[in-house]
mmCIF file of all heavy atoms in Angstrom:
data_model
loop_
_atom_site.group_PDB
_atom_site.id
_atom_site.type_symbol
_atom_site.label_atom_id
_atom_site.label_comp_id
_atom_site.label_asym_id
_atom_site.label_seq_id
_atom_site.Cartn_x
_atom_site.Cartn_y
_atom_site.Cartn_z
ATOM 1 N N VAL A 81 3.366 -6.497 1.755
ATOM 2 C CA VAL A 81 3.524 -7.625 0.856
ATOM 3 C C VAL A 81 2.247 -7.828 0.048
ATOM 4 O O VAL A 81 1.159 -7.940 0.612
ATOM 5 C CB VAL A 81 3.849 -8.906 1.651
ATOM 6 C CG1 VAL A 81 3.989 -10.098 0.708
ATOM 7 C CG2 VAL A 81 5.114 -8.718 2.477
ATOM 8 N N PHE A 82 2.408 -7.907 -1.257
ATOM 9 C CA PHE A 82 1.278 -8.150 -2.149
ATOM 10 C C PHE A 82 0.763 -9.575 -1.951
ATOM 11 O O PHE A 82 1.542 -10.529 -1.885
ATOM 12 C CB PHE A 82 1.752 -7.942 -3.592
ATOM 13 C CG PHE A 82 0.822 -8.477 -4.641
ATOM 14 C CD1 PHE A 82 -0.312 -7.780 -4.993
ATOM 15 C CD2 PHE A 82 1.093 -9.678 -5.281
ATOM 16 C CE1 PHE A 82 -1.168 -8.260 -5.969
ATOM 17 C CE2 PHE A 82 0.243 -10.174 -6.259
ATOM 18 C CZ PHE A 82 -0.887 -9.457 -6.604
ATOM 19 N N LEU A 83 -0.571 -9.721 -1.882
ATOM 20 C CA LEU A 83 -1.180 -11.040 -1.754
ATOM 21 C C LEU A 83 -1.927 -11.445 -3.022
ATOM 22 O O LEU A 83 -1.754 -12.559 -3.510
ATOM 23 C CB LEU A 83 -2.155 -11.073 -0.569
ATOM 24 C CG LEU A 83 -1.544 -10.917 0.820
ATOM 25 C CD1 LEU A 83 -2.648 -10.937 1.870
ATOM 26 C CD2 LEU A 83 -0.518 -12.008 1.094
ATOM 27 N N ILE A 84 -2.780 -10.569 -3.524
ATOM 28 C CA ILE A 84 -3.611 -10.957 -4.651
ATOM 29 C C ILE A 84 -4.085 -9.723 -5.413
ATOM 30 O O ILE A 84 -4.249 -8.646 -4.830
ATOM 31 C CB ILE A 84 -4.828 -11.779 -4.181
ATOM 32 C CG1 ILE A 84 -5.569 -12.375 -5.383
ATOM 33 C CG2 ILE A 84 -5.775 -10.929 -3.327
ATOM 34 C CD1 ILE A 84 -6.653 -13.369 -5.019
ATOM 35 N N ARG A 85 -4.304 -9.906 -6.698
ATOM 36 C CA ARG A 85 -4.976 -8.922 -7.533
ATOM 37 C C ARG A 85 -6.120 -9.623 -8.261
ATOM 38 O O ARG A 85 -5.953 -10.740 -8.756
ATOM 39 C CB ARG A 85 -4.020 -8.343 -8.572
ATOM 40 C CG ARG A 85 -4.680 -7.284 -9.464
ATOM 41 C CD ARG A 85 -3.775 -6.822 -10.569
ATOM 42 N NE ARG A 85 -3.670 -7.793 -11.639
ATOM 43 C CZ ARG A 85 -3.212 -7.500 -12.858
ATOM 44 N NH1 ARG A 85 -2.821 -6.280 -13.128
ATOM 45 N NH2 ARG A 85 -3.130 -8.437 -13.770
ATOM 46 N N ARG A 86 -7.241 -8.946 -8.327
ATOM 47 C CA ARG A 86 -8.404 -9.499 -9.020
ATOM 48 C C ARG A 86 -8.974 -8.423 -9.930
ATOM 49 O O ARG A 86 -9.158 -7.292 -9.493
ATOM 50 C CB ARG A 86 -9.451 -9.971 -8.000
ATOM 51 C CG ARG A 86 -10.754 -10.410 -8.581
ATOM 52 C CD ARG A 86 -10.584 -11.654 -9.403
ATOM 53 N NE ARG A 86 -10.469 -12.844 -8.561
ATOM 54 C CZ ARG A 86 -9.677 -13.853 -8.862
ATOM 55 N NH1 ARG A 86 -8.910 -13.825 -9.931
ATOM 56 N NH2 ARG A 86 -9.633 -14.909 -8.083
ATOM 57 N N ASN A 87 -9.253 -8.736 -11.196
ATOM 58 C CA ASN A 87 -9.871 -7.734 -12.047
ATOM 59 C C ASN A 87 -11.388 -7.849 -11.989
ATOM 60 O O ASN A 87 -11.938 -8.885 -11.608
ATOM 61 C CB ASN A 87 -9.333 -7.793 -13.474
ATOM 62 C CG ASN A 87 -9.889 -8.958 -14.267
ATOM 63 O OD1 ASN A 87 -11.105 -9.114 -14.378
ATOM 64 N ND2 ASN A 87 -9.018 -9.768 -14.829
ATOM 65 N N SER A 88 -12.044 -6.806 -12.411
ATOM 66 C CA SER A 88 -13.491 -6.699 -12.230
ATOM 67 C C SER A 88 -14.284 -7.668 -13.082
ATOM 68 O O SER A 88 -15.491 -7.849 -12.867
ATOM 69 C CB SER A 88 -13.947 -5.263 -12.527
ATOM 70 O OG SER A 88 -13.473 -4.838 -13.797
ATOM 71 N N PHE A 89 -13.649 -8.286 -14.050
ATOM 72 C CA PHE A 89 -14.368 -9.219 -14.911
ATOM 73 C C PHE A 89 -14.227 -10.656 -14.457
ATOM 74 O O PHE A 89 -14.789 -11.566 -15.076
ATOM 75 C CB PHE A 89 -13.877 -9.083 -16.355
ATOM 76 C CG PHE A 89 -14.135 -7.721 -16.920
ATOM 77 C CD1 PHE A 89 -13.106 -6.833 -17.139
ATOM 78 C CD2 PHE A 89 -15.424 -7.317 -17.211
ATOM 79 C CE1 PHE A 89 -13.348 -5.573 -17.639
ATOM 80 C CE2 PHE A 89 -15.683 -6.063 -17.727
ATOM 81 C CZ PHE A 89 -14.628 -5.191 -17.933
ATOM 82 N N ASP A 90 -13.492 -10.856 -13.392
ATOM 83 C CA ASP A 90 -13.250 -12.210 -12.925
ATOM 84 C C ASP A 90 -13.807 -12.371 -11.516
ATOM 85 O O ASP A 90 -13.159 -12.011 -10.542
ATOM 86 C CB ASP A 90 -11.750 -12.509 -12.942
ATOM 87 C CG ASP A 90 -11.437 -13.932 -12.538
ATOM 88 O OD1 ASP A 90 -12.402 -14.701 -12.259
ATOM 89 O OD2 ASP A 90 -10.250 -14.283 -12.490
ATOM 90 N N GLU A 91 -15.001 -12.947 -11.426
ATOM 91 C CA GLU A 91 -15.635 -13.101 -10.125
ATOM 92 C C GLU A 91 -15.411 -14.457 -9.508
ATOM 93 O O GLU A 91 -16.003 -14.788 -8.490
ATOM 94 C CB GLU A 91 -17.145 -12.827 -10.236
ATOM 95 C CG GLU A 91 -17.481 -11.367 -10.407
ATOM 96 C CD GLU A 91 -18.954 -11.101 -10.213
ATOM 97 O OE1 GLU A 91 -19.409 -11.146 -9.050
ATOM 98 O OE2 GLU A 91 -19.656 -10.850 -11.206
ATOM 99 N N GLN A 92 -14.565 -15.236 -10.111
ATOM 100 C CA GLN A 92 -14.288 -16.537 -9.515
ATOM 101 C C GLN A 92 -13.556 -16.372 -8.191
ATOM 102 O O GLN A 92 -12.692 -15.519 -8.053
ATOM 103 C CB GLN A 92 -13.416 -17.369 -10.460
ATOM 104 C CG GLN A 92 -14.168 -17.939 -11.634
ATOM 105 C CD GLN A 92 -13.340 -18.956 -12.385
ATOM 106 O OE1 GLN A 92 -12.135 -19.041 -12.185
ATOM 107 N NE2 GLN A 92 -13.984 -19.743 -13.219
ATOM 108 N N ASN A 93 -13.905 -17.213 -7.251
ATOM 109 C CA ASN A 93 -13.187 -17.195 -5.995
ATOM 110 C C ASN A 93 -11.774 -17.727 -6.193
ATOM 111 O O ASN A 93 -11.530 -18.568 -7.063
ATOM 112 C CB ASN A 93 -13.907 -18.031 -4.937
ATOM 113 C CG ASN A 93 -15.193 -17.371 -4.495
ATOM 114 O OD1 ASN A 93 -15.366 -16.159 -4.645
ATOM 115 N ND2 ASN A 93 -16.107 -18.160 -3.954
ATOM 116 N N GLU A 94 -10.879 -17.222 -5.376
ATOM 117 C CA GLU A 94 -9.487 -17.614 -5.474
ATOM 118 C C GLU A 94 -9.084 -18.286 -4.179
ATOM 119 O O GLU A 94 -9.445 -17.840 -3.093
ATOM 120 C CB GLU A 94 -8.612 -16.376 -5.702
ATOM 121 C CG GLU A 94 -7.127 -16.626 -5.729
ATOM 122 C CD GLU A 94 -6.617 -16.893 -7.115
ATOM 123 O OE1 GLU A 94 -7.396 -16.704 -8.070
ATOM 124 O OE2 GLU A 94 -5.442 -17.266 -7.248
ATOM 125 N N ILE A 95 -8.351 -19.368 -4.304
ATOM 126 C CA ILE A 95 -7.851 -20.068 -3.116
ATOM 127 C C ILE A 95 -6.352 -20.265 -3.275
ATOM 128 O O ILE A 95 -5.875 -20.687 -4.326
ATOM 129 C CB ILE A 95 -8.535 -21.439 -2.934
ATOM 130 C CG1 ILE A 95 -10.035 -21.264 -2.732
ATOM 131 C CG2 ILE A 95 -7.921 -22.188 -1.748
ATOM 132 C CD1 ILE A 95 -10.794 -22.577 -2.672
ATOM 133 N N SER A 96 -5.636 -19.932 -2.215
ATOM 134 C CA SER A 96 -4.193 -20.161 -2.202
ATOM 135 C C SER A 96 -3.837 -20.689 -0.826
ATOM 136 O O SER A 96 -3.699 -19.933 0.132
ATOM 137 C CB SER A 96 -3.449 -18.859 -2.494
ATOM 138 O OG SER A 96 -2.050 -19.043 -2.405
ATOM 139 N N GLY A 97 -3.716 -21.975 -0.726
ATOM 140 C CA GLY A 97 -3.419 -22.586 0.569
ATOM 141 C C GLY A 97 -4.530 -22.313 1.569
ATOM 142 O O GLY A 97 -5.692 -22.664 1.328
ATOM 143 N N ARG A 98 -4.199 -21.683 2.665
ATOM 144 C CA ARG A 98 -5.207 -21.384 3.695
ATOM 145 C C ARG A 98 -5.954 -20.083 3.408
ATOM 146 O O ARG A 98 -6.863 -19.714 4.148
ATOM 147 C CB ARG A 98 -4.513 -21.284 5.057
ATOM 148 C CG ARG A 98 -3.887 -22.582 5.530
ATOM 149 C CD ARG A 98 -3.289 -22.460 6.920
ATOM 150 N NE ARG A 98 -2.181 -21.510 6.964
ATOM 151 C CZ ARG A 98 -2.279 -20.284 7.468
ATOM 152 N NH1 ARG A 98 -3.413 -19.861 8.009
ATOM 153 N NH2 ARG A 98 -1.224 -19.481 7.481
ATOM 154 N N TYR A 99 -5.520 -19.374 2.377
ATOM 155 C CA TYR A 99 -6.121 -18.087 2.047
ATOM 156 C C TYR A 99 -7.160 -18.267 0.936
ATOM 157 O O TYR A 99 -6.918 -19.006 -0.026
ATOM 158 C CB TYR A 99 -5.057 -17.108 1.546
ATOM 159 C CG TYR A 99 -4.030 -16.662 2.546
ATOM 160 C CD1 TYR A 99 -2.971 -15.857 2.150
ATOM 161 C CD2 TYR A 99 -4.088 -17.020 3.884
ATOM 162 C CE1 TYR A 99 -2.020 -15.405 3.043
ATOM 163 C CE2 TYR A 99 -3.139 -16.589 4.791
ATOM 164 C CZ TYR A 99 -2.097 -15.782 4.358
ATOM 165 O OH TYR A 99 -1.152 -15.345 5.262
ATOM 166 N N SER A 100 -8.256 -17.561 1.048
ATOM 167 C CA SER A 100 -9.231 -17.549 -0.037
ATOM 168 C C SER A 100 -9.861 -16.165 -0.110
ATOM 169 O O SER A 100 -9.923 -15.438 0.882
ATOM 170 C CB SER A 100 -10.302 -18.631 0.173
ATOM 171 O OG SER A 100 -11.031 -18.405 1.357
ATOM 172 N N TRP A 101 -10.300 -15.845 -1.306
ATOM 173 C CA TRP A 101 -10.889 -14.540 -1.544
ATOM 174 C C TRP A 101 -12.226 -14.711 -2.246
ATOM 175 O O TRP A 101 -12.343 -15.497 -3.190
ATOM 176 C CB TRP A 101 -9.965 -13.678 -2.413
ATOM 177 C CG TRP A 101 -8.724 -13.273 -1.706
ATOM 178 C CD1 TRP A 101 -8.531 -12.139 -0.980
ATOM 179 C CD2 TRP A 101 -7.493 -13.996 -1.642
ATOM 180 N NE1 TRP A 101 -7.250 -12.109 -0.472
ATOM 181 C CE2 TRP A 101 -6.594 -13.239 -0.864
ATOM 182 C CE3 TRP A 101 -7.054 -15.213 -2.162
ATOM 183 C CZ2 TRP A 101 -5.295 -13.652 -0.590
ATOM 184 C CZ3 TRP A 101 -5.757 -15.633 -1.898
ATOM 185 C CH2 TRP A 101 -4.897 -14.850 -1.122
ATOM 186 N N ASN A 102 -13.197 -13.949 -1.809
ATOM 187 C CA ASN A 102 -14.539 -13.993 -2.369
ATOM 188 C C ASN A 102 -14.881 -12.626 -2.939
ATOM 189 O O ASN A 102 -15.031 -11.645 -2.183
ATOM 190 C CB ASN A 102 -15.538 -14.407 -1.275
ATOM 191 C CG ASN A 102 -16.951 -14.491 -1.812
ATOM 192 O OD1 ASN A 102 -17.708 -13.531 -1.757
ATOM 193 N ND2 ASN A 102 -17.297 -15.643 -2.338
ATOM 194 N N PHE A 103 -15.004 -12.558 -4.249
ATOM 195 C CA PHE A 103 -15.297 -11.310 -4.941
ATOM 196 C C PHE A 103 -16.749 -11.343 -5.380
ATOM 197 O O PHE A 103 -17.149 -12.235 -6.133
ATOM 198 C CB PHE A 103 -14.358 -11.165 -6.139
ATOM 199 C CG PHE A 103 -14.625 -9.985 -7.020
ATOM 200 C CD1 PHE A 103 -15.152 -8.803 -6.520
ATOM 201 C CD2 PHE A 103 -14.339 -10.045 -8.379
ATOM 202 C CE1 PHE A 103 -15.381 -7.712 -7.342
ATOM 203 C CE2 PHE A 103 -14.562 -8.967 -9.208
ATOM 204 C CZ PHE A 103 -15.082 -7.801 -8.692
ATOM 205 N N GLN A 104 -17.536 -10.389 -4.944
ATOM 206 C CA GLN A 104 -18.940 -10.318 -5.345
ATOM 207 C C GLN A 104 -19.258 -8.907 -5.814
ATOM 208 O O GLN A 104 -19.357 -7.975 -5.007
ATOM 209 C CB GLN A 104 -19.845 -10.702 -4.167
ATOM 210 C CG GLN A 104 -19.765 -12.172 -3.797
ATOM 211 C CD GLN A 104 -20.902 -12.614 -2.890
ATOM 212 O OE1 GLN A 104 -21.526 -11.781 -2.228
ATOM 213 N NE2 GLN A 104 -21.169 -13.906 -2.855
ATOM 214 N N LYS A 105 -19.442 -8.762 -7.115
ATOM 215 C CA LYS A 105 -19.770 -7.452 -7.663
ATOM 216 C C LYS A 105 -21.137 -6.980 -7.194
ATOM 217 O O LYS A 105 -21.361 -5.785 -7.031
ATOM 218 C CB LYS A 105 -19.707 -7.486 -9.191
ATOM 219 C CG LYS A 105 -18.298 -7.586 -9.718
ATOM 220 C CD LYS A 105 -18.269 -7.728 -11.224
ATOM 221 C CE LYS A 105 -18.501 -6.416 -11.918
ATOM 222 N NZ LYS A 105 -18.234 -6.517 -13.364
ATOM 223 N N SER A 106 -22.048 -7.889 -6.978
ATOM 224 C CA SER A 106 -23.408 -7.503 -6.589
ATOM 225 C C SER A 106 -23.426 -6.749 -5.263
ATOM 226 O O SER A 106 -24.293 -5.902 -5.032
ATOM 227 C CB SER A 106 -24.296 -8.746 -6.491
ATOM 228 O OG SER A 106 -23.782 -9.646 -5.518
ATOM 229 N N THR A 107 -22.467 -7.066 -4.394
ATOM 230 C CA THR A 107 -22.404 -6.394 -3.096
ATOM 231 C C THR A 107 -21.157 -5.517 -2.992
ATOM 232 O O THR A 107 -20.866 -4.990 -1.916
ATOM 233 C CB THR A 107 -22.394 -7.419 -1.951
ATOM 234 O OG1 THR A 107 -21.303 -8.338 -2.151
ATOM 235 C CG2 THR A 107 -23.707 -8.191 -1.894
#
Side-chain angles (χ1 to χ4, degrees):
Chain A
V81 179
F82 165 78
L83 294 179
I84 189 171
R85 181 186 76 163
R86 173 66 78 216
N87 76 55
S88 52
F89 298 108
D90 183 1
E91 286 192 73
Q92 284 191 346
N93 290 338
E94 176 92 9
I95 298 175
S96 176
R98 295 184 296 104
Y99 293 175
S100 62
W101 291 269
N102 181 268
F103 175 31
Q104 291 195 339
K105 288 175 78 170
S106 60
T107 56

